[in-house]
Amino acid sequence: MLTALSQTQVHPDEIEYIILTHIHMDHAGGIGLAVKEMKNAQVVAHSRAYNHLVDPTVLWEASQATLGRLAQKYGSIDPVAENKISIAGDGMKLDLGKGLVIELYLTPGHAPHHLCVFDRHDGILLAGDLAGVYTNGFLRPGTPPPFRLQDYLQSLDRMIALEPLKLCYAHFGCYDDAIERLRAVREQTLTLV
């Protein structure tokens, strides 16, 4: 992330927000290190993520139990200072400047502390893992344990109702047929249960 910022000539101190779609290790395991480099940034996360960010002990233990050696490859999780965390509200808007306002939506299902980011002006939905994982042309639902089907489906339906034009997966890429992709993962999920 720091290398990418450097390549775009953005200094880490210019970052105001780090928005966590959720705190699974592959999405937020480096957040404690990131805030040390991005000294002016606020970490915006679901309220259920707060305690795990301040004291990641339980998160680290769960990550090790779930991921085994892969967790060790990621490395331990550093805490985030309480004053660096802002709680995301459902429908909360963040003005990023230059006319860009994003909306945050609480979208439990993949995880109880999951949220999605929506740029209404351009119709772009940053779906975290709610829309599933899309790699090498293959889509699989994001259904880690403990999976809550009804929460997942309701969250997908809420994001479909926003009528996004573009869907951005955390794993991997952005695509123009957002609603069709959200419906596809919804249908695929129903075939698994």
Side-chain angles (χ1 to χ4, degrees):
M1 183 171 49
L2 292 171
T3 300
L5 287 175
S6 174
Q7 291 170 349
T8 59
Q9 299 178 359
V10 174
H11 192 275
D13 289 345
E14 296 177 69
I15 303 299
E16 293 180 38
Y17 300 106
I18 304 170
I19 302 167
L20 300 179
T21 58
H22 58 299
I23 58 168
H24 289 161
M25 212 173 168
D26 59 327
H27 293 262
I31 192 62
L33 295 173
V35 294
K36 290 175 185 170
E37 296 292 327
M38 301 172 193
K39 295 174 178 40
N40 297 316
Q42 279 294 117
V43 176
V44 181
H46 192 290
S47 62
R48 294 186 69 168
Y50 180 86
N51 289 337
H52 295 291
L53 294 170
V54 172
D55 180 3
T57 304
V58 173
L59 180 61
W60 174 238
E61 290 169 359
S63 296
Q64 288 180 307
T66 304
L67 301 173
R69 291 189 313 176
L70 181 58
Q72 296 297 326
K73 285 185 178 184
Y74 280 115
S76 62
I77 303 169
D78 288 353
V80 177
E82 292 182 43
N83 67 335
K84 300 295 286 179
I85 303 169
S86 295
I87 301 302
D90 194 43
M92 177 180 179
K93 295 181 181 182
L94 292 175
D95 186 342
L96 303 182
K98 297 184 180 179
L100 178 58
V101 176
I102 58 172
E103 302 168 11
L104 307 179
Y105 291 94
L106 305 184
T107 52
H110 172 76
H113 52 271
H114 195 282
L115 61 89
C116 288
V117 180
F118 187 53
D119 168 4
R120 186 173 298 276
H121 180 267
D122 292 320
I124 300 170
L125 178 64
L126 305 177
D129 281 351
L130 178 71
V133 175
Y134 187 74
T135 56
N136 301 319
F138 178 73
L139 174 68
R140 71 168 172 78
T143 55
F147 182 61
R148 293 173 178 85
L149 176 64
Q150 289 310 312
D151 289 345
Y152 191 72
L153 296 175
Q154 287 173 357
S155 293
L156 281 168
D157 290 342
R158 286 186 72 208
M159 295 304 96
I160 290 168
L162 292 175
E163 299 182 351
L165 302 174
K166 183 175 288 240
L167 175 68
C168 296
Y169 295 95
H171 311 277
F172 296 100
C174 296
Y175 300 89
D176 290 329
D177 52 346
I179 293 174
E180 292 82 5
R181 286 174 175 275
L182 290 166
R183 286 182 178 146
V185 77
R186 189 185 197 288
E187 292 306 310
Q188 188 182 39
T189 302
L190 287 172
T191 64
L192 298 174
V193 292

